């Protein structure tokens, strides 16, 4: 099942199926269906259809001495739904053998015997699944490496499965996937694709190097990658998203980037190429990023900093990463026009809210884009195993229930109150900066460095919630985790009352500046520019906006991460701005606010501006 943010072909389960079709001893007599849910709502529809005929087929197969099996590829975003589905299937068809694999179930004891799962696959599963399907009876399971199952009430783990070093021995998932509709149109807009497996780092919060995937990196040959990418673009799929952990770290990665550029030159596709970048931002990594940027393939170049707090870096096993020396990288990439972004995680053991906010203020003055994620405690990671040692306090991810996905809201280095306030800060940053309500104001304050920015973002969010309280009657503004979960509803309600929203923000920002001994006038001028550019409800429209300062030049300076010249504050101007509209219709998520912001079309002189206003 796909996540809410990303629909793509089911390459993981297709890879398992493709391997069994080639190597399975009983492949010719084994029928395999791939079931792909693009949305959680698809599950109920599928279950209704399946329950009409599936249980009878299962019973007939079992009566014939066969072993009907249903498997789940489990990640954090689908775990709750799949565990619930497994329970329903167990009730409908007790004869089914229910199996699961994937990063989220590597803590097998939490699932086998606890949930309606018979077997969990540990680590790389292609070979394990082939041997499992070819086994005659459960009596053969102890000889299959990489399994966990229940026997006489106890969870049994077989020997670990050694990872495959020759990845070309795995047939392509594209061999069994249908990428196009019957009329030739692409079934998918994007695809997740891996050219390598493994991660050399052992970050304590991550499943990549310390969990199911392993620390040694292996990769597919360039011939295999080229063959698959040719099929992908021939199917008309526009975006390739790599599932590699450290793209740019392997010598062959430059050739892959050159290959993707050649494909676009020749075919026009893909339109974008995204990946998780190497944590060592070497000369080759930067060369790859610049190559992709020059060819308009790079949606972002993201530095996965995660935290700048020394103790949190130490406990996360990241204190010696070269990415921590981020300033020169950010400066060099920004000078080249590369869309560079930083990534932070709130809630890591060793961090605290005061340090996190100081770090965020620093990064707001360094990076044009920052993505902040709440720390979700994942099974199979070092922090999960040491949760008692670090006194980690966590609450279930909303909607996940027993899925073992948990927001960290407290630990030995910060209190529960700080933890929830950190999530409130994430909400504020998403709405006010990503949502393009006051991004330029935030940047000006960060670049100036005269007042703390992060506390102001939290103040502004609290004031914004008060603006929409009469609309969102069921929202408890004191429940900060509820605010985090309902941030998009707050965002849309706030943009539906822009005059009230911005008059409220004006008061909060002015008071904050004065409380820190600063004149609020320059900041409020930029807030007026943010007001003119923020996403709007309704259809596309052009507006004329008059400013008592050189708003266009101020926007250019701030977009380049530079402080505007003071003289610009005394140069009035009128700007023609095009608004795409679509708030609440096209735009439903604050994270997409920048895509539907207003765009400055032209600077009007005073005569034409007066005539245009009169005509309007």
């Amino acid at each position: 099942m796909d996540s809410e943010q990303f629909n793509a072909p089911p390459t993981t389960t297709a890879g398992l199926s493709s391997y069994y079709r080639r190597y399975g001893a009983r492949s010719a007599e084994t029928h395999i269906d791939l079931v792909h849910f693009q949305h959680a709502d698809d599950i109920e529809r599928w279950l209704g259809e399946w329950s009409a005929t599936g249980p009878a087929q299962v019973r007939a197969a079992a009566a014939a001495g066969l072993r009907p099996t249903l498997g789940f590829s489990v990640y954090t975003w689908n775990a709750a739904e799949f565990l619930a589905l497994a329970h329903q299937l167990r009730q409908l068809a007790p004869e089914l053998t229910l199996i699961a694999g994937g990063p989220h179930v590597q803590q097998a004891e939490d699932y086998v015997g606890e949930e309606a799962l018979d077997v969990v696959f540990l680590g790389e599963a292609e070979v394990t699944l082939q041997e499992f399907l070819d086994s005659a009876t459960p009596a053969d399971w102890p000889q299959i490496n990489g399994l966990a199952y229940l026997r006489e009430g106890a969870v049994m783990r077989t020997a670990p499965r050694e990872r495959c070093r020759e990845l070309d021995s795995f047939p392509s998932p594209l061999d069994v996937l249908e990428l196009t509709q019957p009329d030739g149109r692409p079934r998918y807009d994007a695809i997740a694709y891996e050219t390598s497996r493994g991660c050399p780092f052992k970050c304590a919060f991550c499943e990549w190097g310390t969990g199911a995937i392993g620390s040694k990196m292996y990769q597919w040959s360039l011939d295999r990658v080229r063959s698959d990418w040719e099929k992908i673009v021939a199917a008309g799929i526009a975006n390739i998203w790599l599932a590699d952990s450290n793209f740019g770290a392997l010598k062959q990665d430059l050739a892959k980037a050159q290959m993707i550029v050649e494909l676009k030159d020749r075919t026009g596709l893909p339109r974008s190429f995204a990946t998780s970048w190497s944590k060592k931002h070497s000369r080759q990594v930067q060369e790859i990023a610049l190559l992709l940027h020059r060819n308009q393939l790079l949606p972002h170049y993201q530095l996965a900093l995660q935290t700048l707090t020394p103790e949190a870096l130490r406990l996360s096993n990241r204190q010696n990463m070269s990415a921590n020396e981020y300033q020169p990288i950010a400066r060099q990439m920004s000078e080249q026009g590369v869309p560079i972004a930083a990534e932070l995680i709130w809630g890591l053991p060793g961090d605290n809210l005061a340090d996190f906010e100081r770090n965020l203020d620093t990064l707001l003055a360094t990076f044009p884009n920052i993505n902040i994620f709440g720390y979700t405690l994942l099974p199979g990671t070092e922090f999960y195993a040491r949760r008692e040692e670090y006194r980690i306090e966590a609450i279930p991810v909303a909607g996940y229930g027993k899925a073992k996905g948990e927001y960290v809201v407290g630990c030995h280095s910060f209190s529960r109150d700080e933890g929830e306030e950190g999530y409130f800060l994430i909400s504020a940053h998403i709405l006010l900066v990503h949502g393009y309500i006051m991004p330029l104001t935030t940047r000006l304050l960060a670049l100036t460095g005269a007042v703390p920015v992060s506390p102001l973002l939290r103040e502004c969010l609290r004031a914004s919630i008060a603006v929409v309280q009469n609309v969102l009657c069921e929202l408890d503004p004191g429940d900060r985790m509820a605010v985090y979960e309902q941030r998009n509803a707050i965002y849309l309600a706030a943009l539906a009352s822009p005059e009230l929203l911005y008059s409220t923000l004006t008061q909060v920002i002015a008071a904050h500046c004065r409380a820190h001994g600063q004149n609020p006038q320059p900041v409020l001028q930029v807030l007026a520019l943010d007001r003119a550019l923020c996403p709007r409800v309704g259809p596309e429209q052009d507006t004329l906006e008059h400013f008592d300062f050189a708003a266009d030049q101020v926007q250019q300076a701030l977009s380049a991460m530079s402080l505007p010249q003071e003289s610009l504050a005394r140069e009035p101007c009128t700007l023609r701005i095009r608004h795409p509209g679509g708030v609440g219709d096209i735009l439903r998520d604050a994270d997409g606010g920048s895509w539907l912001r207003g765009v400055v079309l032209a600077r009007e002189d005073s005569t034409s501006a007066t005539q245009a206003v009169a005509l309007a």
Side-chain angles (χ1 to χ4, degrees):
M1 188 182 83
D2 293 336
S3 69
E4 292 181 1
Q5 290 80 25
F6 189 73
N7 291 136
T11 48
T12 300
T13 48
L16 297 170
S17 175
S18 185
Y19 187 89
Y20 190 75
R21 287 190 180 186
R22 178 177 296 184
Y23 297 110
R26 301 165 61 183
S27 174
E29 59 198 79
T30 301
H31 176 79
I32 299 176
D33 283 325
L34 291 181
V35 181
H36 178 206
F37 303 124
Q38 289 194 323
H39 306 282
D41 294 345
D42 295 343
I43 294 177
E44 185 176 355
R45 187 182 313 111
W46 174 85
L47 185 62
E49 296 172 355
W50 186 87
S51 61
T53 59
Q57 291 177 332
V58 168
R59 288 192 294 271
L66 302 176
R67 189 170 72 234
T69 302
L70 191 144
F72 301 92
S73 180
V74 186
Y75 294 82
T76 302
W77 61 81
N78 64 30
E81 289 83 358
F82 277 178
L83 292 175
L85 177 57
H87 178 76
Q88 293 173 292
L89 291 167
R90 174 66 74 222
Q91 301 301 313
L92 290 169
E95 302 87 353
L96 266 177
T97 298
L98 298 178
I99 65 175
H104 200 85
V105 293
Q106 296 303 297
Q107 197 80 9
E109 288 76 7
D110 286 345
Y111 300 95
V112 177
E114 294 291 321
E115 304 288 349
L117 297 176
D118 298 302
V119 182
V120 163
F121 287 68
L122 304 173
E124 205 168 53
E126 283 88 348
V127 180
T128 308
L129 180 63
Q130 174 258 309
E131 294 179 359
F132 177 84
L133 294 179
D134 283 340
S135 64
T137 70
D140 297 327
W141 293 353
Q143 283 72 53
I144 301 173
N145 293 346
L147 289 184
Y149 57 90
L150 202 64
R151 172 163 292 179
E152 297 180 355
V155 177
M156 309 296 293
R157 282 176 174 253
T158 64
R161 168 68 61 184
E162 184 178 347
R163 291 176 57 211
C164 178
R165 300 183 181 188
E166 300 296 332
L167 293 184
D168 277 4
S169 66
F170 291 165
S172 172
L174 305 187
D175 293 347
V176 300
L177 283 173
E178 293 183 1
L179 299 180
T180 56
Q181 306 277 9
D183 61 3
R185 290 182 297 113
R187 289 182 180 272
Y188 307 95
D189 181 62
I191 188 169
Y193 185 91
E194 56 181 356
T195 72
S196 67
R197 282 185 181 174
C199 178
F201 302 102
K202 295 184 180 294
C203 301
F205 52 79
C206 184
E207 293 171 319
W208 231 326
T210 60
I213 299 173
S215 58
K216 182 69 176 177
M217 294 189 73
Y218 302 109
Q219 59 186 327
W220 275 269
S221 67
L222 287 173
D223 287 342
R224 161 64 180 274
V225 173
R226 178 182 293 278
S227 174
D228 279 354
W229 285 357
E230 292 279 2
K231 294 176 184 177
I232 289 167
V233 299
I237 294 176
N239 306 290
I240 296 177
W241 300 75
L242 281 200
D244 296 22
S245 67
N246 282 266
F247 188 64
L250 300 172
K251 292 181 180 179
Q252 199 166 282
D253 289 343
L254 177 58
K256 297 170 192 173
Q258 293 167 337
M259 186 190 305
I260 212 75
V261 168
E262 186 274 328
L263 270 175
K264 182 180 182 181
D265 287 344
R266 176 162 48 86
T267 69
L269 294 176
R271 288 199 291 268
S272 72
F273 181 82
T275 187
S276 294
W277 290 94
S278 170
K279 310 307 179 290
K280 294 182 178 179
H281 293 266
S282 63
R283 184 177 297 275
Q284 174 176 279
V285 172
Q286 295 178 51
E287 181 181 353
I288 292 172
L290 289 170
L291 174 66
L292 295 174
H293 173 64
R294 285 196 300 268
N295 288 275
Q296 298 180 316
L297 279 160
L298 187 68
H300 60 260
Y301 175 59
Q302 187 147 300
L303 270 67
L305 300 176
Q306 315 307 16
T307 179
L308 301 182
T309 304
E311 180 64 2
L313 287 170
R314 185 183 72 83
L315 295 181
S316 298
N317 305 322
R318 293 175 63 93
Q319 68 267 40
N320 296 320
M321 283 191 179
S322 62
N324 298 334
E325 302 298 325
Y326 60 89
Q327 285 104 336
I329 301 169
R331 183 176 60 255
Q332 293 164 14
M333 292 292 104
S334 295
E335 289 172 352
Q336 298 284 339
V338 174
I340 191 167
E343 182 178 286
L344 289 175
I345 297 175
W346 162 245
L348 293 173
D351 218 335
N352 60 79
L353 186 59
D355 283 348
F356 187 86
E357 290 196 329
R358 281 191 291 270
N359 296 336
L360 177 58
D361 283 10
T362 298
L363 295 178
L364 285 169
T366 308
F367 289 89
N369 295 292
I370 299 173
N371 296 310
I372 313 174
F373 302 96
Y375 175 36
T376 302
L377 187 64
L378 299 175
T381 62
E382 181 181 335
F383 280 153
Y384 189 92
R386 303 177 72 173
R387 60 188 303 170
E388 292 186 8
E389 176 184 351
Y390 295 135
R391 304 197 301 275
I392 292 175
E393 185 177 358
I395 60 176
V397 173
Y400 281 72
K402 287 190 67 178
K404 309 299 190 298
E406 302 169 287
Y407 292 137
V408 172
V409 293
C411 69
H412 72 290
S413 60
F414 60 87
S415 67
R416 173 70 177 264
D417 182 65
E418 277 189 71
E420 293 191 6
E421 193 67 12
Y423 276 93
F424 196 82
L425 173 61
I426 298 174
S427 303
H429 182 263
I430 291 174
L431 269 67
L432 301 172
V433 180
H434 284 198
Y436 224 82
I437 289 176
M438 47 179 281
L440 299 176
T441 304
T442 302
R443 184 170 298 172
L444 175 67
L445 288 167
L447 288 168
T448 304
V451 303
V453 181
S454 295
L456 173 61
L457 292 177
R458 292 190 280 119
E459 290 178 42
C460 287
L461 177 56
R462 285 194 165 86
S464 301
I465 292 173
V467 167
V468 301
Q469 190 67 61
N470 62 329
V471 178
L472 304 177
C473 301
E474 296 182 0
L475 175 66
D476 177 2
D479 186 342
R480 291 164 293 189
M481 301 307 295
V483 168
Y484 178 72
E485 292 295 339
Q486 298 180 48
R487 57 191 181 275
N488 290 327
I490 297 169
Y491 175 68
L492 296 178
L495 287 184
S497 302
E499 296 299 333
L500 180 56
L501 171 65
Y502 279 92
S503 65
T504 301
L505 293 176
T506 297
Q507 296 174 38
V508 172
I509 293 170
H512 186 81
C513 289
R514 292 191 184 103
H516 289 84
Q518 298 299 310
N519 176 13
Q521 185 58 29
V523 182
L524 297 181
Q525 284 183 325
V526 176
L527 182 66
L529 177 57
D530 276 328
R531 166 69 182 92
L533 296 173
C534 81
R536 298 197 174 187
V537 176
E540 180 180 300
Q541 58 179 300
D542 288 5
T543 64
L544 289 176
E545 304 283 351
H546 180 74
F547 302 92
D548 60 1
F549 66 103
D552 53 344
Q553 296 179 59
V554 167
Q555 182 195 22
Q556 291 171 12
L558 291 172
S559 297
M561 300 300 295
S562 300
L563 278 172
Q565 299 176 13
E566 291 185 13
S567 60
L568 300 179
R570 298 183 296 275
E571 298 179 15
C573 74
T574 299
L575 302 181
R576 182 178 295 277
I577 299 174
R578 174 156 298 167
H579 291 277
V583 170
D585 179 17
I586 300 171
L587 179 62
R588 299 176 181 272
D589 186 331
D591 269 317
S594 64
W595 294 101
L596 289 181
R597 70 184 188 275
V599 177
V600 176
L601 298 179
R603 180 170 181 155
E604 306 280 346
D605 61 44
S606 58
T607 303
S608 62
T610 301
Q611 292 173 341
V613 171
L615 290 171

